[in-house]
Amino acid sequence: MRGLAAGDDTCLAAVHRRWSRMVHTLAWRTLGDAAEAEDVTQQVFLGVWRGCGGYRPERGTVAGWIAGITRRRIADALSARTRRGELVAAAGAALPPDGSDTRRPEAALDRVVLGRALAGLPAAQRRVLCLAYYEDLTQTQIAQRTGWPLGTVKSHARRGLRQLRRDLERQNGADQTYT
């Protein structure tokens, strides 16, 4: 762990060789999907690499520390799976029964209006919202991807959503409120 904390790639390779089977097995048994288990395994070892300075031997073994990271990543994957299912169900409910959008020509206009509203946001807020909604990332995952603190990601998301609401309400008049 000292070598890992010092940035030694060979130490990361050794930790990966020793613990990757355990991580993958935990992820696969919980998620039931080999591809998701591979993703979780990769995320866990990225977390090990980035967070190795946070390991405290007096608090537990390396295996326990890695297992804790694994449990958190599995929980993130399950949450993302749930959100994807809810989004698919909501999108399916919003579609006309025959699958065509010809009965709702304003749907294309809605996409254009939303795209313009997103484009008007500051870059950081736009990036956070796009990662959350188009790539289905949690705020924790966005913080890891961007390298920003979690609180900053949450602030950008909150401010961006508020600004989108104000912009859309202004464009549509006070008769329509977005929640």
Side-chain angles (χ1 to χ4, degrees):
M1 289 306 291
R2 282 189 295 272
L4 193 62
D8 186 353
D9 295 0
T10 57
C11 291
L12 178 62
V15 168
H16 186 270
R17 270 193 308 278
R18 183 160 184 192
W19 302 110
S20 63
R21 182 170 288 149
M22 174 194 74
V23 169
H24 188 269
T25 301
L26 285 171
W28 185 78
R29 285 183 181 168
T30 305
L31 298 170
D33 182 275
E36 278 187 298
E38 285 294 326
D39 289 344
V40 166
T41 302
Q42 184 177 18
Q43 291 170 10
V44 166
F45 285 99
L46 182 61
V48 166
W49 178 253
R50 288 181 176 166
C52 60
Y55 170 69
R56 300 286 178 260
E58 64 274 5
R59 296 178 79 193
T61 64
V62 173
W65 180 65
I66 293 174
I69 295 171
T70 304
R71 283 192 304 273
R72 288 188 294 279
R73 295 296 181 251
I74 290 170
D76 288 346
L78 289 170
S79 294
R81 182 188 289 174
T82 301
R83 279 193 315 280
R84 280 191 305 270
E86 290 169 355
L87 286 172
V88 166
L95 291 175
D98 65 357
S100 70
D101 214 14
T102 57
R103 292 187 204 150
R104 268 190 28 89
E106 69 274 8
L109 181 60
D110 289 345
R111 286 190 296 273
V112 170
V113 168
L114 184 59
R116 284 186 181 161
L118 273 171
L121 292 177
Q125 293 174 10
R126 182 175 54 250
R127 183 172 184 202
V128 167
L129 292 179
C130 287
L131 288 171
Y133 291 101
Y134 296 129
E135 294 190 34
D136 196 31
L137 297 180
T138 64
Q139 290 178 333
T140 302
Q141 292 168 330
I142 293 169
Q144 290 170 346
R145 180 172 295 181
T146 60
W148 297 335
L150 181 58
T152 301
V153 170
K154 289 180 178 187
S155 295
H156 285 319
R158 186 177 55 253
R159 285 189 207 114
L161 287 172
R162 283 184 185 158
Q163 186 63 44
L164 274 178
R165 179 188 300 164
R166 282 191 299 268
D167 291 347
L168 293 172
E169 285 174 349
R170 191 177 320 115
Q171 288 176 10
N172 290 318
D175 59 319
Q176 221 175 5
T177 301
Y178 293 90
T179 56

